[in-house]
Structure formats: C-alpha cells, structure tokens
C-alpha cells in the first residue's frame, strides 16, 4: 500500500541535530525499500480551478499559507498502521506541527 505523508510549515528553524536525525531516518527508510520519494514544496504555488469550460489560473501565495503543504514523503508499507507509525517517528524528529497521511490509489 502506498501512502502520501504531507506536513505543514512551522515557524521553527531547523538546526544541525534535525538535519542529522532526518538524514538517518531517510537513510533507514530508503535502505528498507519503504521510502519512494521525498521533497519540499515551494510556499506559493499555482492554483488551477475549473468551472464548466472555464479554467482559471491563480499565482500564490494564498491567504492561508500556513495551511499549505510544505513537504511530502511517498512510502510503500504493508498497512495504514505502519504509515501512522512512520509519521509518529517523523513528528518526534521534527517536533510540533501537523502531518496528514493519505492512501494513494
């Protein structure tokens, strides 16, 4: 089962300890074949909406920037519970904040 784990931005500045712990976590998951992709996302982005035949393109940033996704990890695991456990481990490393887990079909 594939899960997309996303995280929202925080005001906390990363430090050397965070970089070291995240590098070890990413290396562990990559070696286990669980981690398929990771990345950070630009804060602004572009919103594309459709209504009937009309397509509207709006450049960001948007009013609720703190609700936007700041980064992601795509993992392949055996269960939802395993995805939750990986996200718990991630949150313990990065500290306070919010992540969302969604199954990829």
């Amino acid at each position: 089962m594939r899960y997309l784990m996303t995280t929202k931005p925080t005001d906390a500045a990363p430090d050397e300890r965070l970089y070291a712990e995240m590098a070890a976590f990413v290396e562990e998951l990559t070696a286990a074949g669980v981690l398929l992709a990771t990345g950070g996302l630009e804060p602004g982005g572009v919103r594309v909406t459709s209504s009937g035949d009309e397509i509207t393109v709006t450049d960001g940033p948007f009013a609720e920037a703190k609700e936007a996704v700041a980064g992601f990890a795509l993992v392949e695991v055996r269960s939802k519970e395993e995805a939750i456990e990986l996200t718990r481990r991630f949150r313990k490393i990065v500290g306070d904040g919010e992540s969302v887990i969604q199954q990829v079909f």
Side-chain angles (χ1 to χ4, degrees), residues 7-13 17-18 87-99:
T7 189
K8 295 183 179 178
T10 65
D11 294 331
R17 179 198 58 81
L18 173 67
T87 305
R88 284 178 198 254
R89 290 180 60 197
F90 169 78
R91 293 283 3 142
K92 285 181 181 178
I93 293 169
V94 300
D96 294 345
E98 181 180 343
S99 295

Side-chain angles (χ1 to χ4, degrees), residues 44-63:
V46 175
R47 180 179 294 144
V48 180
T49 57
S50 61
S51 178
D53 291 335
E54 187 175 330
I55 304 292
T56 304
V57 178
T58 308
D59 289 327
F62 304 103

Side-chain angles (χ1 to χ4, degrees), residues 1-5 29 34-36 73-77 83 86:
M1 303 169 88
R2 289 186 178 185
Y3 284 89
L4 181 65
M5 303 184 316
L29 297 183
V34 171
L35 186 62
L36 303 178
L74 180 62
V75 297
E76 186 154 357
V77 293
L86 290 177

